[in-house]
Amino acid sequence: MENDSQKNFAIEIPDDALGVSQDELVFQDIPHSHKMSSSPELKDGRTVHTHTFTNFPNPEDSEEEDKAELIKDKKTPSFWTFEYYQTFFDVDSKQVLDRILWSMYPNPNVNYLQMKIRPNPDLYGPFWICMTLVFSVAVAGNLANYLYSQSTSSSNYAWKYDFHKVTLASAAIFAYWWLMPTMLYGLLSWRGNQAGYTFTEIICVYGYSLAIYIPISILWVLPFYWLQWLLVMLGMALSGTVLVFTLWPSIRHDKKQVSLGTMVIVMLMHGLLAVGFMLFFFHGSVDTAATETTAAVYQNATSTAMIVSTTQMLPANHTG
């Protein structure tokens, strides 16, 4: 009996096939067998030569071999070449938008890094997210300061744009973006890194995790403390939970104290970044404005009291 994986094809070639017309061609169904006992003959006595083909390559094996050859031929560019860094920016707008949206949507059944970042982690999206966050925090902080100065009853406080906020915001954001992934990658490498996360993948995840603070920083302009703290907790809960769900497979097999402690630190650091933004760039501006206004009022009151006192003393000296 024929093997199921074996394919047989028979081609019938009459002796004078080259010399006959199309109407004279005859096709026959020939039973499959390993060996042909004799060459079949047509009704008119002509002999038919039969060739049986049994060995055919598996198409799937050929495709796998071709892929292996392509991967083998594809060499990793050198660290000092432009092509090496070009791979980190090989991403389109649709992918960036999809990664931004999923960085705010925690789902325990979906690993953000494995499903959305691999196999093409990028630095294009995280870089522009950090740059946008720098200017949104600095501009929104100055705007909050301006709105507070306009709402105060005293006219002694003169509002000025604080350009130092841009420098401070960029230092804080880019330091967090690079230092936290560096420390995490070092810890995972030391403890085994069961999930095999690379440094580029971790820094890509952390860059996208900051996207949620861009709209939150704009809403911090609203002078409602309860709303500002609610936004802090919301951003920490959504984006921080995505980080925990993403990093957990790489350390869950470690000791319980190490794995749970690492996840707590990841969540707290992500929340402390938002708290620092709110207190320094928004509450700090309000407190500064209030302090300067109070100081100006006190100085004017002191000056007025001195003038009144001097005026009262002048007639007495003149009389004496």
Side-chain angles (χ1 to χ4, degrees):
M1 185 175 181
E2 281 289 329
N3 190 352
D4 293 338
S5 62
Q6 189 177 24
K7 300 179 180 178
N8 298 332
F9 294 88
I11 300 177
E12 301 177 359
I13 306 176
D15 292 338
D16 54 350
L18 298 176
V20 299
S21 63
Q22 184 176 0
D23 297 336
E24 297 178 351
L25 293 177
V26 178
F27 298 92
Q28 291 184 344
D29 293 331
I30 301 175
H32 295 285
S33 61
H34 290 285
K35 295 182 181 180
M36 297 295 295
S37 57
S38 61
S39 299
E41 294 184 358
L42 300 179
K43 294 180 180 180
D44 57 359
R46 290 180 297 172
T47 305
V48 178
H49 297 283
T50 303
H51 300 273
T52 303
F53 300 89
T54 59
N55 295 324
F56 295 94
N58 190 346
E60 296 181 357
D61 294 339
S62 300
E63 293 179 0
E64 293 179 358
E65 292 177 0
D66 294 339
K67 292 179 181 179
E69 290 295 331
L70 290 175
I71 296 175
K72 184 178 180 180
D73 294 338
K74 185 179 179 180
K75 297 180 179 179
T76 303
S78 175
F79 178 80
W80 305 105
T81 61
F82 177 77
E83 289 78 9
Y84 178 82
Y85 299 96
Q86 188 177 9
T87 58
F88 300 139
F89 296 86
D90 186 15
V91 66
D92 55 26
S93 301
K94 184 178 179 181
Q95 286 180 306
V96 172
L97 180 60
D98 185 60
R99 292 176 177 183
I100 290 176
L101 295 177
W102 277 94
S103 68
M104 309 176 190
Y105 177 64
N107 188 344
N109 299 322
V110 176
N111 188 291
Y112 175 65
L113 191 152
Q114 296 177 359
M115 299 297 295
K116 299 299 177 180
I117 302 300
R118 285 181 175 177
N120 184 29
D122 72 288
L123 298 180
Y124 175 83
F127 173 78
W128 285 112
I129 288 172
C130 291
M131 289 298 298
T132 306
L133 182 59
V134 167
F135 287 100
S136 67
V137 169
V139 172
N142 280 281
L143 181 59
N145 190 4
Y146 172 76
L147 293 177
Y148 178 82
S149 66
Q150 296 299 314
S151 63
T152 55
S153 59
S154 175
S155 60
N156 296 303
Y157 175 70
W159 178 81
K160 296 181 296 182
Y161 189 90
D162 189 0
F163 289 96
H164 295 289
K165 291 183 183 296
V166 178
T167 304
L168 295 174
S170 60
I173 292 170
F174 280 93
Y176 176 81
W177 179 35
W178 281 90
L179 291 180
M180 279 300 297
T182 301
M183 292 187 292
L184 273 174
Y185 181 71
L187 175 64
L188 295 179
S189 300
W190 176 45
R191 306 300 297 185
N193 195 0
Q194 291 89 349
Y197 292 166
T198 64
F199 177 72
T200 306
E201 292 173 342
I202 297 176
I203 200 173
C204 178
V205 170
Y206 258 87
Y208 280 107
S209 69
L210 297 175
I212 195 172
Y213 291 133
I214 295 176
I216 287 178
S217 65
I218 299 174
L219 294 176
W220 276 334
V221 175
L222 301 176
F224 304 107
Y225 288 173
W226 65 269
L227 179 61
Q228 293 175 344
W229 281 106
L230 179 63
L231 292 173
V232 169
M233 306 310 292
L234 180 64
M236 175 183 175
L238 294 179
S239 185
T241 305
V242 173
L243 286 176
V244 171
F245 287 159
T246 300
L247 298 172
W248 177 247
S250 64
I251 202 170
R252 64 182 177 183
H253 298 293
D254 207 323
K255 295 180 180 179
K256 187 176 181 180
Q257 296 84 349
V258 176
S259 57
L260 294 180
T262 302
M263 295 299 100
V264 170
I265 292 175
V266 168
M267 181 68 78
L268 288 179
M269 293 300 295
H270 202 64
L272 286 176
L273 180 68
V275 173
F277 285 157
M278 186 190 65
L279 294 179
F280 183 82
F281 291 96
F282 296 89
H283 286 191
S285 300
V286 173
D287 295 339
T288 301
T291 301
E292 294 184 4
T293 302
T294 304
V297 172
Y298 177 77
Q299 183 177 3
N300 291 337
T302 304
S303 301
T304 303
M306 292 178 62
I307 293 174
V308 171
S309 177
T310 304
T311 304
Q312 293 176 350
M313 293 175 62
L314 285 176
N317 293 336
H318 180 71
T319 304

